[in-house]
Amino acid sequence: MVIQCYWALVNHSVDVTFAKKNFGYIVAGAQIGSILGPTIATQAEYTGLPALYMGASGSMFLMVLAMYLYIRRFGAPVEEREEREITTGRTGTGTAGGEGEGGGVSKSKEREREGEGVMEGFNLFLEHDYVKGLFAVSALFNVQVTVFDYMMKVLAKAAFEQQYPEDPQTALRAFASFMGHFGQVTNSISFLFSLFGTGLVIRTLGLTRTLISFPLLLLLCTLVVWMSPTLWVVFGVMMTIKGMSYALNNPTKEILYQVTSSSIKFKCKSWIETFGQRGSKAAGSVITNAFANSLIDLANYGSFAGVCISISLIAISKYMGRKFEELIDSGEKIGEAVKSDYSKCEETETGPDTIAENIESSEKEEKL
């Protein structure tokens, strides 16, 4: 949740030009921690698993502390400040009763928040096709990643059990070390590509072709695994997909949020990231559970599902890229309500009742 809120805050604070140029560097910075974690995990044979769990738990507290200091340094988002002012009845120079310059704005903001609730993100998802596309780009590839991840772990576990048949604890520590090396390599690739390649690819190919490139890569990797489902082939495929999902798909996905409203950035995005990605991983787990007894069947049926998902994502990515460019050219934002004349009157404290009173006053003056 902290990562999702961070990206929502960044998307709300920067423009498209900054995003295309610098989002790759943000991802590169994030990969430093992703490299350090697996590096420590490679020492599982010496430190033991309990020490690793304790260190991971401590890092969670450090992450919360970092976000607290970030907010203290750069301030709260505009929406949070407005809501706090409305709650205390202090918007502008007005009071809770609506007197003064800010009273009308407070009432208008309160009315805008009527009907908001825990399901608002889901309602925005149902309302806008562009948000459904964000859901697909952000989450669907995780179905195939879950299948490949399961295959890699099953193959690795079997390999180490065969290597250490008389010592299951040593086999377990060797497996933990293997996963640590996998994290090291994957995040190192992501770090280097984010630092030197992401911005260059987006500038060279454009956002639409960059979006399409990731599902094309996913399709190619799926076909490779289908032809040769061995440990080191699956290891290489997982390394490629995970690395490019961080370095290529994640920055371009975040750029797509630039043409959405604040409500989508802060409310719908968290719904997509939480339920969408977890739901996709659950769908991948359904496939692995159905064919857990046969690795060959899992490779065949899992690859078929991967091909279908990849082709669908290619079409969706093409639509999302074109729609993004159209919205940039028009200056519109998805989910941003067009203010009615009535709303404009409210914000300037000139509602219909006030207008009617002015007309009556004018008629009386004419009669006099």
Side-chain angles (χ1 to χ4, degrees):
M1 289 299 293
V2 174
I3 297 172
Q4 298 159 18
C5 292
Y6 170 76
W7 275 112
L9 184 62
V10 171
N11 267 312
H12 187 68
S13 306
V14 304
D15 57 17
V16 176
T17 303
F18 179 93
K20 289 182 177 181
K21 184 178 180 181
N22 296 291
F23 273 14
Y25 297 128
I26 295 175
V27 174
Q31 296 312 305
I32 295 175
S34 298
I35 294 170
L36 291 176
T39 300
I40 297 172
T42 59
Q43 305 304 309
E45 296 183 38
Y46 308 103
T47 61
L49 296 179
L52 293 181
Y53 281 120
M54 185 64 70
S57 300
S59 67
M60 296 297 101
F61 289 102
L62 293 176
M63 182 173 63
V64 174
L65 176 62
M67 286 304 299
Y68 171 76
L69 295 175
Y70 183 91
I71 296 297
R72 285 289 300 271
R73 171 65 178 82
F74 297 103
V78 176
E79 286 80 2
E80 185 178 325
R81 292 199 299 270
E82 289 177 349
E83 188 155 352
R84 188 163 56 241
E85 290 169 348
I86 290 170
T87 303
T88 58
R90 294 182 298 99
T91 303
T93 59
T95 62
E99 297 177 0
E101 187 176 345
V105 179
S106 295
K107 291 179 180 179
S108 175
K109 293 291 183 182
E110 286 176 348
R111 272 188 282 268
E112 286 177 9
R113 284 167 170 77
E114 288 180 2
E116 292 185 1
V118 294
M119 294 300 293
E120 186 184 2
F122 182 68
N123 293 333
L124 288 168
F125 169 80
L126 294 178
E127 184 178 352
H128 302 288
D129 290 338
Y130 187 85
V131 179
K132 294 185 183 74
L134 286 171
F135 173 90
V137 171
S138 302
L140 289 186
F141 75 94
N142 281 299
V143 176
Q144 195 61 16
V145 169
T146 302
V147 174
F148 288 157
D149 184 66
Y150 178 82
M151 290 178 64
M152 183 183 72
K153 289 175 180 176
V154 168
L155 290 167
K157 189 171 183 293
F160 289 117
E161 286 177 351
Q162 185 177 2
Q163 186 176 351
Y164 304 101
E166 304 296 331
D167 193 348
Q169 290 300 319
T170 301
L172 181 61
R173 287 194 293 269
F175 174 76
S177 180
F178 168 82
M179 293 305 298
H181 287 299
F182 167 73
Q184 275 183 313
V185 175
T186 299
N187 291 301
S188 296
I189 291 173
S190 178
F191 171 75
L192 293 173
F193 192 89
S194 298
L195 197 60
F196 302 109
T198 301
L200 178 64
V201 170
I202 293 175
R203 289 193 299 271
T204 304
L205 299 181
L207 186 66
T208 302
R209 291 179 180 175
T210 306
L211 279 168
I212 294 173
S213 65
F214 180 73
L216 275 174
L217 179 64
L218 182 64
L219 177 61
L220 177 63
C221 289
T222 301
L223 295 175
V224 169
V225 170
W226 175 68
M227 289 186 291
S228 180
T230 61
L231 174 59
W232 294 109
V233 168
V234 179
F235 178 88
V237 163
M238 275 294 294
M239 181 180 63
T240 302
I241 294 177
K242 294 280 279 188
M244 291 301 101
S245 70
Y246 294 137
L248 199 61
N249 190 61
N250 197 51
T252 52
K253 172 205 54 173
E254 296 298 339
I255 291 172
L256 293 176
Y257 279 97
Q258 286 289 308
V259 292
T260 62
S261 66
S262 297
S263 293
I264 291 175
K265 289 187 180 83
F266 285 95
K267 297 169 185 176
C268 196
K269 177 177 170 61
S270 62
W271 187 90
I272 289 173
E273 300 290 337
T274 302
F275 294 98
Q277 293 192 11
R278 298 302 177 272
S280 296
K281 290 179 179 179
S285 298
V286 170
I287 297 174
T288 59
N289 186 61
F291 305 103
N293 295 327
S294 173
L295 195 62
I296 298 300
D297 287 343
L298 180 59
N300 290 333
Y301 290 102
S303 297
F304 175 75
V307 168
C308 295
I309 291 170
S310 300
I311 293 174
S312 299
L313 282 176
I314 290 171
I316 293 170
S317 297
K318 185 176 181 180
Y319 162 79
M320 293 296 291
R322 290 182 175 178
K323 186 66 176 178
F324 177 86
E325 299 298 339
E326 290 175 7
L327 291 168
I328 287 294
D329 292 338
S330 65
E332 298 177 14
K333 285 197 173 185
I334 299 293
E336 198 170 71
V338 179
K339 293 182 180 179
S340 64
D341 293 336
Y342 182 85
S343 299
K344 292 176 181 176
C345 288
E346 281 186 325
E347 292 191 0
T348 57
E349 297 186 56
T350 312
D353 294 339
T354 305
I355 296 173
E357 289 174 3
N358 292 337
I359 293 173
E360 289 178 5
S361 299
S362 300
E363 290 177 351
K364 287 180 181 178
E365 289 176 1
E366 288 177 1
K367 289 179 181 178
L368 291 173

